[in-house]
Amino acid sequence: MGFGLFTKKRNFIRRFIVGVIAIGVSFFIGVYLLSYLLGPPKLTNEQNTIYYSQSGDVIGEEHGLQSRYQVNLEDISPDLINATLAIEDKHFFEHHGFDLKRIVGAVLKNIKSMSFKEGASTLTQQYARNLYLSQEKTWTRKVREAFYTIRLEMFYSKSEILEGYLNVIYYGHGAHGIEAASHYFFDKTAKELSLAEAAMLAGIPKGPTYYSPLNNEDNANKRQKRILQAMLNANTITKQAYDEAIQEQLTYTAHEESESEALGPYFQDTALKETSRLLKLDPEDIRSGGYEIHTTLNSNLQKVLEKQVHATIDSSSEMEVGGMAMDPDTGAVRAMIGGTDYAKSPFNRAMDAKRMPGSSFKPFLYYAALENGYNATTMLLSKPTVFDLEDGEVYQPSNYNDYYANARIPLAQALALSDNIYAVKTNIYLGADKLVDTAEKFGITSKLPAVPSLALGTATVSLKEMVTGYGILANGGQDIDLYTIDSIVDRNGKTIFERKNKPGDKLLDPKKAFILTQLMTGMFDRELDGYTAVTGSTIADKLTRLYAGKSGTTSSDSWMIGFSPRLVTGIWTGYDDNRTIEVVAESAYSKNIWADFMEAAHQGIDQENFPIPDGVVGIPIDPATGERATPYCDVSRIMYFEKGTEPQVYCSKHFPEDDSGSDQDNTDDVKEEEGILEKWFNLFS
């Protein structure tokens, strides 16, 4: 009974094993049969990554094909071939596309380290991947890679595969293939490479950015030494050759960056970085991956921005610029410039530089003020003031050109004139922590000190942060994430990323955001109550529509940021070394670039007004007094208030004086004035 049961179990196990083997054999027969029926794959494939604008125009392309040279295997240094095989696939001539022993070893190492860092790809697999597939790490891609690997091994000789691999593999810096790499790094052919040079180049494809000697010579030297040691162990070089190669001092070819003809090179760099984050791939893999990257760039706006920058800043000037235009509803970047000359400096001052924003930081302060009881007519005294701070320090800010009203002024006037005394008083009243917290609401992620001077923009922030903050204000208070990529298509025509825009979280009170926006239109008044110190008066004549904005000036920085309902734009100008802007005309560059760009960007578009949210009322106000304006006021502006907070008192400052010298009763004149006022105000009801 027991023996019979044992026999049955043994037979079951035997049948099970035979069945598994049969399935496995059938599977592999099927795979190889299908591979045979599919025939030999083509050994050429265009791999350039192309950037497209918002409207589908090509704006840039990775010009890898310009640095590719097809060479025969006999025209490649044997040292380069041996170095490549030693480090990448030492069993290349023994396996049929897959190194099973290496695969098992890699699996065991990954299990031990609890990671997937150890790879086991053969040269044939790498060749298949580079020719036909993307770099995404999915099981589907692995299966397709296996099919291509089998087909390559089935229809091509080892020499053809090795030659093809060495002609397409990426060595960084736009060089595809060993001949291009030899010319780029050493200005010689692949046949002329020394052992030391060959070992250096053979180490690059594993990580073109990390192992390039032009990027990190220490990493490259360590990998070169490892490759030479592997060659010595494989007896493809002698100990003497090893020692001589280790001691050889390599001289690399100097390269001058050629002037980029691509549209928006700073934007394209940003799009590449964003693609790298989205796909979790090295930027170099994306450059040579054959992707179609559909961006948010508006080609016309980009051309206009570049034109205005170059028309304003002389090419001989050392002054630099950062500029960005964004859709405030979505966060899509429509135009970007990170410097005056990309060929001279690819550093992106729009995204990566941090500078003091000066008074352009004040809208964040005044939003906090609106949240804490202020309105457009809140009055504070503007005169030279010394502040005794809690820590015992003394702080004495000053206004630009030492201009002071020497009188009480309303918030509207303080913002239009960029009064620093008003701003510091407000910041101290609210508590400096309040401004830090509010700035974070507006997307400012840079570290901000909670000090009184923060009201004057004395902390460093990026243009990207400032444009995002103003964009949140422009869209009525909804959160936005700045982005440059709409969709990505791989080399096989498959869409592997597509952006789905959703409304952002509500960060601001729409009523207060609208009121502040309207207050920020005041900087473009030509004058205010007889004063021409309104900060945007110098560009007011250029503007033909309603904008909201704020400028900022420090000794070394000039900012202008502003928006319409459809576009928010920020411009920074200054010197990279933070030197003082001494020429008066240079301090106006940011405003002029901004004004010319915004006008050109809106040409042919009907005037759009910022939508008024429920619960807000508009009242004619005398900006000088903060009271309801009368027909006698020299200047009046419609200012907005939350219902119930609007002023009730009419301005009497500008009433005509009685020059008759008589003390007689003026009752009739007063009644007449009251009748005029009643009729005038009925026009605004």
Side-chain angles (χ1 to χ4, degrees):
M1 182 75 174
F3 179 76
L5 181 61
F6 173 76
T7 302
K8 288 181 179 179
K9 286 184 177 179
R10 185 176 63 182
N11 291 338
F12 173 78
I13 293 172
R14 183 185 295 121
R15 287 195 299 270
F16 177 77
I17 294 173
V18 171
V20 169
I21 294 173
I23 292 172
V25 171
S26 299
F27 173 76
F28 281 108
I29 291 174
V31 168
Y32 275 86
L33 179 60
L34 179 59
S35 298
Y36 178 79
L37 294 174
L38 289 172
K42 293 181 180 179
L43 295 184
T44 58
N45 191 25
E46 301 295 331
Q47 294 184 334
N48 289 8
T49 285
I50 302 174
Y51 299 96
Y52 295 89
S53 71
Q54 177 193 14
S55 59
D57 300 322
V58 175
I59 59 172
E61 183 172 356
E62 302 294 350
H63 295 289
L65 288 175
Q66 293 181 353
S67 340
R68 289 184 181 130
Y69 304 84
Q70 188 73 25
V71 292
N72 297 324
L73 200 60
E74 56 265 27
D75 292 324
I76 299 174
S77 163
D79 287 330
L80 186 281
I81 294 172
N82 290 331
T84 301
L85 293 174
I87 195 64
E88 294 290 348
D89 191 355
K90 61 184 178 181
H91 301 299
F92 174 72
F93 288 102
E94 302 164 18
H95 62 65
H96 297 286
F98 306 97
D99 191 339
L100 299 180
K101 186 182 293 185
R102 190 176 173 194
I103 290 172
V104 172
V107 170
L108 293 176
K109 286 183 180 179
N110 286 334
I111 291 174
K112 187 175 180 180
S113 64
M114 298 298 291
S115 70
F116 295 94
K117 294 181 179 179
E118 193 69 26
S121 294
T122 63
L123 286 189
T124 313
Q125 288 175 273
Q126 293 181 49
Y127 187 29
R129 187 184 313 142
N130 276 273
L131 275 179
Y132 313 115
L133 305 169
S134 69
Q135 299 292 327
E136 58 179 332
K137 298 177 181 179
T138 64
W139 285 109
T140 302
R141 198 268 290 164
K142 282 288 186 184
V143 170
R144 297 181 70 228
E145 178 187 301
F147 267 102
Y148 279 116
T149 299
I150 292 170
R151 292 169 66 194
L152 285 171
E153 290 278 348
M154 183 178 290
F155 292 101
Y156 297 100
S157 69
K158 286 290 187 180
S159 295
E160 288 175 312
I161 293 171
L162 180 58
E163 180 182 293
Y165 170 86
L166 292 173
N167 275 292
V168 303
I169 201 69
Y170 187 55
Y171 290 87
H173 305 283
H176 293 261
I178 187 57
E179 187 72 4
S182 300
H183 282 286
Y184 186 88
F185 286 93
F186 300 114
D187 196 22
K188 58 175 64 174
T189 67
K191 195 171 187 176
E192 298 171 323
L193 292 171
S194 69
L195 173 59
E197 292 167 340
M200 179 61 74
L201 293 183
I204 296 175
K206 182 177 177 64
T209 301
Y210 190 76
Y211 290 115
S212 167
L214 305 184
N215 294 341
N216 192 318
E217 197 165 4
D218 184 52
N219 290 343
N221 288 336
K222 288 178 181 177
R223 185 155 174 82
Q224 179 209 40
K225 187 174 182 180
R226 180 184 171 191
I227 291 171
L228 290 168
Q229 184 65 54
M231 296 175 74
L232 180 62
N233 295 342
N235 295 318
T236 55
I237 59 172
T238 65
K239 182 65 167 65
Q240 180 181 348
Y242 171 86
D243 292 335
E244 291 174 354
I246 290 291
Q247 295 301 318
E248 184 177 336
Q249 294 294 316
L250 301 184
T251 301
Y252 302 102
T253 305
H255 293 278
E256 292 184 4
E257 295 289 341
S258 59
E259 185 173 354
S260 173
E261 296 181 359
L263 182 64
Y266 293 100
F267 176 92
Q268 290 188 41
D269 281 355
T270 304
L272 175 63
K273 291 178 181 178
E274 185 174 334
T275 303
S276 176
R277 291 194 303 271
L278 291 172
L279 301 185
K280 298 180 181 177
L281 293 175
D282 188 280
E284 297 297 347
D285 291 332
I286 294 165
R287 289 182 190 276
S288 59
Y291 294 97
E292 294 180 1
I293 301 177
H294 296 269
T295 76
T296 61
L297 188 79
N298 183 303
S299 299
N300 292 331
L301 294 186
Q302 181 66 34
K303 291 174 185 176
V304 168
L305 180 58
E306 292 179 2
K307 177 184 176 181
Q308 298 305 334
V309 166
H310 296 140
T312 304
I313 302 178
D314 191 273
S315 59
S316 63
S317 173
E318 294 183 7
M319 178 165 273
E320 280 297 349
V321 64
M324 183 186 299
M326 182 184 74
D327 182 334
D329 290 325
T330 64
V333 177
R334 299 305 184 198
M336 178 190 294
I337 192 165
T340 55
D341 190 335
Y342 182 84
K344 291 181 180 178
S345 173
F347 177 67
N348 193 334
R349 294 157 187 84
M351 296 291 291
D352 302 322
K354 290 195 174 185
R355 307 287 294 225
M356 290 191 294
S359 292
S360 63
F361 202 75
K362 287 176 180 174
F364 308 143
L365 169 70
Y366 291 133
Y367 181 82
L370 292 174
E371 284 193 312
N372 287 271
Y374 277 56
N375 64 33
T377 60
T378 299
M379 309 289 287
L380 292 177
L381 180 62
S382 170
K383 69 174 185 177
T385 305
V386 176
F387 295 93
D388 295 317
L389 306 180
E390 292 181 359
D391 58 6
E393 291 188 16
V394 174
Y395 179 49
Q396 187 172 3
S398 61
N399 280 347
Y400 184 70
N401 286 337
D402 288 324
Y403 164 78
Y404 302 90
N406 289 308
R408 283 160 50 85
I409 59 173
L411 170 57
Q413 187 172 357
L415 188 54
L417 300 176
S418 201
D419 191 279
N420 288 341
I421 305 302
Y422 192 108
V424 173
K425 284 183 175 181
T426 298
N427 196 26
I428 291 175
Y429 167 74
L430 298 176
D433 288 333
K434 186 75 70 176
L435 176 53
V436 173
D437 293 341
T438 302
E440 289 178 356
K441 277 186 185 179
F442 281 88
I444 305 297
T445 58
S446 295
K447 186 173 178 60
L448 303 175
V451 295
S453 64
L454 182 60
L456 309 184
T458 54
T460 58
V461 295
S462 69
L463 181 66
K464 170 190 173 182
E465 292 174 283
M466 293 296 290
V467 170
T468 299
Y470 276 57
I472 292 172
L473 188 60
N475 70 30
Q478 289 187 334
D479 190 18
I480 48 176
D481 289 321
L482 181 147
Y483 67 93
T484 62
I485 303 298
D486 277 328
S487 65
I488 305 169
V489 179
D490 69 13
R491 71 177 66 178
N492 300 306
K494 177 185 176 185
T495 299
I496 56 178
F497 171 79
E498 188 167 12
R499 187 171 299 279
K500 306 292 185 184
N501 283 319
K502 298 178 181 178
D505 295 334
K506 180 180 174 183
L507 300 178
L508 310 179
D509 181 337
K511 294 190 292 293
K512 294 178 176 62
F514 173 81
I515 290 169
L516 179 56
T517 293
Q518 292 299 323
L519 289 172
M520 291 168 63
T521 65
M523 76 159 287
F524 302 113
D525 285 346
R526 286 162 178 76
E527 63 177 42
L528 189 63
D529 197 33
Y531 299 108
T532 57
V534 180
T535 53
S537 60
T538 56
I539 57 173
D541 289 338
K542 293 186 175 187
L543 307 180
T544 60
R545 62 180 59 230
L546 184 69
Y547 302 104
K550 188 73 189 76
S551 60
T553 305
T554 73
S555 61
S556 57
D557 301 278
S558 178
W559 297 69
M560 180 63 219
I561 312 175
F563 52 90
S564 69
R566 68 167 55 226
L567 194 67
V568 54
T569 300
I571 304 291
W572 165 86
T573 56
Y575 293 96
D576 283 341
D577 58 5
N578 285 289
R579 80 182 77 162
T580 299
I581 300 175
E582 296 180 343
V583 180
V584 175
E586 290 183 345
S587 63
Y589 281 172
S590 62
K591 290 180 185 176
N592 287 320
I593 293 170
W594 181 90
D596 292 336
F597 171 77
M598 289 295 276
E599 281 295 293
H602 289 82
Q603 190 171 7
I605 299 173
D606 292 337
Q607 169 70 55
E608 295 176 290
N609 295 317
F610 299 101
I612 303 176
D614 293 336
V616 172
V617 293
I619 304 293
I621 298 293
D622 174 15
T625 64
E627 297 171 336
R628 287 178 178 252
T630 72
Y632 300 110
C633 293
D634 296 328
V635 179
S636 68
R637 282 185 60 87
I638 301 296
M639 296 186 188
Y640 292 86
F641 304 84
E642 293 188 51
K643 284 183 179 179
T645 66
E646 63 271 22
Q648 301 300 319
V649 177
Y650 293 111
C651 172
S652 60
K653 178 180 179 180
H654 303 99
F655 279 174
E657 297 181 2
D658 181 9
D659 295 328
S660 65
S662 171
D663 292 329
Q664 66 184 19
D665 191 345
N666 294 329
T667 302
D668 292 339
D669 292 338
V670 170
K671 287 182 178 179
E672 182 180 356
E673 286 178 359
E674 289 177 347
I676 293 173
L677 290 176
E678 183 178 356
K679 291 179 181 179
W680 192 70
F681 282 114
N682 283 338
L683 295 175
F684 296 93
S685 60

